Amino acid sequence: HVGFQLSYIGNHAYNQFTFDPINYTVPRDSCATSGTTDIAQCTAGKAIFRRPYQVFGTSGGGNGELYGYHGYSNTNELQAQVQHTFGSGLLLQTYFTWARTLTTSEQPLLGIGSGQTLIPAALTPGFNLTEPLTSGASLAQRVRAVYAPDPTLPTKTFSLNAHYELPFGQGKKYLGNAHGFTNALVSGFNISPFFLWHSGFYFSPYYTQFSSSTVGGGRAINLSPGKTGILPEGQRTRKRWFDASRWDPTATSGPSSGPYAGQTYTLGTGLEGDFRNNIPSNYMTGPGFNELDATVYKLTPLGKGTMLDIEAQGFNVYNHQNLALPNNKGIITRPLGGSLPRLIQLQAKFIF
């Protein structure tokens, strides 16, 4: 009456789609050696003079001018399943999965730190405007820079299914001698609950493949030395999911400059804002998810080959609110998309 299964699944995917924005703005200190048509304009930060192909005046971080298939992913997954059938008509099934998926190609997910992945192109040391495809870091190095946990897949998942036929009616433990109308009234009751829990999705506050010109007044956000911003699980709340001290206002040239007073993030200079920040992709996890659904139904035979099925279906039975990812201030402002309050619906089916 007991079944146990343990499985390992490994997966490697390659030739995944990548966006390589080769016409993204380049570092200002490359202006003098890159053959730009107007060094003064480039040094001043005017975007069109900091791009290899100036005709694309609107090109930016959201534009993938060069598409490729250089991405890859790796998954290691452990699955455990236990099933037990009781003589009383009760069946229990449990599933547990531990999975770790690292990828260079994210898929969209509601929340911060997610969406399409752009591999760092122009913003690498040694990049030259006149040789946008061959200068700077190698393609392999740039793709590796965005290799991180998949934000759409939680690490741990647990589910429990159960089915129980209540022991009432003819041939059952209670009212086993019932016949006719009495048996039709008390027999055929079943309950099927389903419980699902999984750990939180991955995300990163302030993360970008290219330091945003809108963050910190055009300057890069960097992690302070030895800090991650991750709070212990017991300290994470809806109003403070991670340490949201954004930067050291006294910093002048990067994360190691100026007096350090425990802040999680530092604010770099305008020049450093041209380079990719040092915040890793998807290194934090958000709130987990849990929900209990259940169905109670009664099957009543009405005659040869016909049956009445009356059901009460309950979703989010204990009315738990699952939370979305926090914003860049560490505050969770909304429930998880698609998460509903308790819902009960009734239905009847005539089966023939």
Side-chain angles (χ1 to χ4, degrees):
H1 299 291
V2 178
F4 177 74
Q5 179 176 303
L6 187 66
S7 307
Y8 166 78
I9 298 175
N11 178 277
H12 172 70
Y14 57 95
N15 288 351
Q16 292 185 327
F17 195 52
T18 55
F19 294 86
D20 194 345
I22 56 173
N23 208 37
Y24 203 81
T25 51
V26 300
R28 296 188 183 103
D29 60 358
S30 296
C31 294
T33 59
S34 59
T36 179
T37 57
D38 193 319
I39 294 178
Q41 292 271 34
C42 179
T43 305
K46 192 168 183 179
I48 192 172
F49 295 101
R50 296 171 56 206
R51 297 189 173 113
Y53 309 108
Q54 298 179 21
V55 66
F56 299 123
T58 59
S59 174
N63 301 88
E65 293 86 8
L66 186 63
Y67 296 155
Y69 295 89
H70 312 294
Y72 51 87
S73 67
N74 291 288
T75 298
N76 291 287
E77 183 174 335
L78 182 68
Q79 298 180 346
Q81 174 185 345
V82 180
Q83 176 177 314
H84 185 79
T85 303
F86 298 83
S88 60
L90 174 64
L91 170 67
L92 292 178
Q93 291 179 309
T94 61
Y95 301 87
F96 177 77
T97 299
W98 181 93
R100 179 73 164 171
T101 299
L102 299 171
T103 180
T104 62
S105 303
E106 293 185 5
Q107 298 299 318
L109 177 71
L110 198 61
I112 59 176
S114 60
Q116 68 181 19
T117 297
L118 305 175
I119 63 175
L123 304 191
T124 54
F127 180 81
N128 193 306
L129 271 174
T130 60
E131 299 175 351
L133 298 180
T134 57
S135 60
S138 68
L139 176 64
Q141 289 176 307
R142 291 187 281 119
V143 173
R144 177 72 185 178
V146 295
Y147 185 61
D150 191 312
T152 66
L153 299 174
T155 299
K156 292 173 284 188
T157 302
F158 172 80
S159 66
L160 184 148
N161 306 309
H163 179 265
Y164 182 51
E165 183 180 0
L166 276 64
F168 295 97
Q170 194 175 76
K172 298 296 194 303
K173 184 176 181 179
Y174 302 104
L175 301 175
N177 296 322
H179 295 280
F181 177 76
T182 302
N183 182 63
L185 186 66
V186 301
S187 65
F189 283 94
N190 295 262
I191 181 170
S192 296
F194 174 74
F195 174 76
L196 174 65
W197 171 89
H198 64 70
S199 55
F201 292 112
Y202 289 95
F203 74 99
S204 284
Y206 315 118
Y207 169 77
T208 174
Q209 289 88 352
F210 316 99
S211 298
S212 171
S213 61
T214 60
V215 176
R219 296 186 286 181
I221 299 296
N222 294 277
L223 280 170
S224 292
K227 294 292 181 176
T228 66
I230 300 175
L231 293 174
E233 286 193 27
Q235 297 180 19
R236 299 175 195 173
T237 65
R238 185 169 183 166
K239 294 184 177 180
R240 187 173 181 264
W241 193 259
F242 60 87
D243 184 355
S245 301
R246 295 187 60 181
W247 57 73
D248 180 353
T250 63
T252 57
S253 62
S256 61
S257 65
Y260 178 67
Q263 293 89 343
T264 300
Y265 301 97
T266 61
L267 180 63
T269 67
L271 178 61
E272 288 158 351
D274 292 326
F275 293 93
R276 182 175 183 270
N277 58 26
N278 70 341
I279 297 174
S281 174
N282 299 329
Y283 75 103
M284 289 186 180
T285 54
F289 174 94
N290 70 86
E291 183 171 299
L292 174 65
D293 303 329
T295 298
V296 178
Y297 62 98
K298 184 184 188 306
L299 300 175
T300 305
L302 298 179
K304 186 177 181 179
T306 60
M307 183 174 294
L308 179 64
D309 178 6
I310 300 176
E311 297 186 16
Q313 300 173 340
F315 302 92
N316 194 6
V317 173
Y318 47 78
N319 203 31
H320 173 72
Q321 185 182 67
N322 290 291
L323 301 175
L325 295 176
N327 59 23
N328 275 351
K329 296 181 180 180
I331 302 172
I332 299 175
T333 60
R334 53 190 172 82
L336 185 68
S339 182
L340 299 174
R342 183 191 295 119
L343 174 66
I344 299 176
Q345 62 184 24
L346 304 176
Q347 70 176 26
K349 293 186 290 184
F350 178 62
I351 303 171
F352 60 93

